[in-house]
Amino acid sequence: MKTPGIFCAIDAPDLDSALDLTRKLKGTGVDLKLGLEFFVAEGPRGIDAVRSAAGEDVRIFLDLKLHDIPNTVAGAVKSALRCGADFLTIHAGGGREMMRAAVLAAAEGAAQSGKPAPVLLGVTVLTHMDGQDLAGIGIAASPAQQVERLARLAQAAELGGCICAPQEIAALRKSCGASFRLVVPGIRPAQSAAGDQKRIMTPQDAAALGADDLVIGRPITQAEDPARAAREIVDSLRAMAA
Ligand code: C5P
């Protein structure tokens, strides 16, 4: 079994708290995910500061969930490239043309800047949405059907992978193959509080199903000792693979 990477979700409202967590997590083996809350407050300079504090070997996942007309998303991808993120999210629901524009912009921006292009990940159906919510926006498919449809569309547009709930790993692995990256939030170590996550799974079970990366926020960030919580998860996954 391959050991999945772990992105700790630094859902912090300001630079000081993000840097505090970043320093605490240094050397634990986890990578960092920075989302809209942080980016809207601190922008690219905040990302730079976190990257410098984290060190070269830590991967940065910029979770901006871009969704707009193709031209605007292409521009946003190019701007995001300047942050040097390793992963960037866009909404697969924006459609094939929007995702293609993002892929081309990432390749173009990378060629111009000499930096590697980020892996673009498609956001499928957000995990707070159930069948009724989908019906409310005019989608008759079940969440599972819609996730599969959007993941396949993202793959056809040549995105590198998608975000999916743990319960969707097996079906997506089957329909999208081994090389399509599956990045999985909704992860809770045994005995952790679920919080607002409705469909959760332990890191070990998600790893066994073949997740490439796990996104874990509160079980690490709200722990009394975040570094210890992170190390325990990393060690338990490495032990499984040994
Ligand atoms: O604290 P917790 O482990 O629930 O954090 C999960 C992280 O993953 C948050 O940053 C959240 O925005 C993100 N996420 C999610 N569900 C998705 C997509 C992203 O929980 N479908």
Side-chain angles (χ1 to χ4, degrees):
M1 192 202 82
K2 160 178 147 302
T3 309
I6 295 174
F7 283 100
C8 179
I10 308 279
D11 289 319
D14 58 62
L15 187 57
D16 284 349
S17 25
L19 286 178
D20 181 48
L21 257 172
T22 301
R23 291 186 187 117
K24 283 181 178 150
L25 293 174
K26 206 163 174 173
T28 59
V30 299
D31 299 304
L32 303 177
K33 179 176 92 73
L34 293 157
L36 278 172
E37 182 180 4
F38 180 75
F39 193 74
V40 170
E42 301 290 348
R45 274 190 221 143
I47 306 286
D48 274 350
V50 169
R51 213 201 2 256
S52 305
E56 290 275 304
D57 52 336
V58 171
R59 298 178 303 167
I60 301 287
F61 174 176
L62 192 49
D63 188 15
L64 297 184
K65 298 188 174 71
L66 301 173
H67 190 168
D68 209 314
I69 57 170
N71 188 55
T72 301
V73 166
V77 167
K78 281 194 179 170
S79 297
L81 240 152
R82 292 201 284 272
C83 298
D86 301 282
F87 291 82
L88 176 67
T89 43
I90 61 177
H91 269 284
R96 186 187 163 102
E97 196 189 333
M98 188 201 82
M99 289 191 277
R100 282 303 299 156
V103 169
L104 295 176
E108 238 176 71
Q112 282 162 7
S113 66
K115 290 182 182 169
V119 176
L120 297 181
L121 300 170
V123 176
T124 54
V125 178
L126 290 172
T127 39
H128 73 284
M129 293 192 78
D130 59 17
Q132 236 181 342
D133 295 313
L134 287 183
I137 56 168
I139 294 168
S142 70
Q145 289 168 329
Q146 186 66 3
V147 165
E148 183 148 352
R149 177 197 297 251
L150 289 175
R152 293 181 77 119
L153 192 65
Q155 190 173 35
E158 295 180 25
L159 261 61
C162 74
I163 311 291
C164 70
Q167 290 75 8
E168 290 148 7
I169 298 170
L172 292 190
R173 189 55 81 210
K174 204 164 153 204
S175 55
C176 298
S179 61
F180 194 60
R181 193 166 206 102
L182 300 180
V183 178
V184 183
I187 300 297
R188 290 291 177 269
Q191 282 131 28
S192 289
D196 57 357
Q197 294 283 13
K198 290 179 189 148
R199 293 189 293 150
I200 57 175
M201 194 178 278
T202 64
Q204 295 76 18
D205 287 348
L209 282 169
D212 291 291
D213 295 284
L214 307 178
V215 174
I216 308 179
R218 287 160 289 181
I220 295 175
T221 60
Q222 308 290 307
E224 212 172 289
D225 182 347
R228 199 172 108 199
R231 265 201 206 95
E232 278 174 8
I233 299 170
V234 171
D235 290 348
S236 76
L237 292 175
R238 286 185 184 153
M240 272 177 85

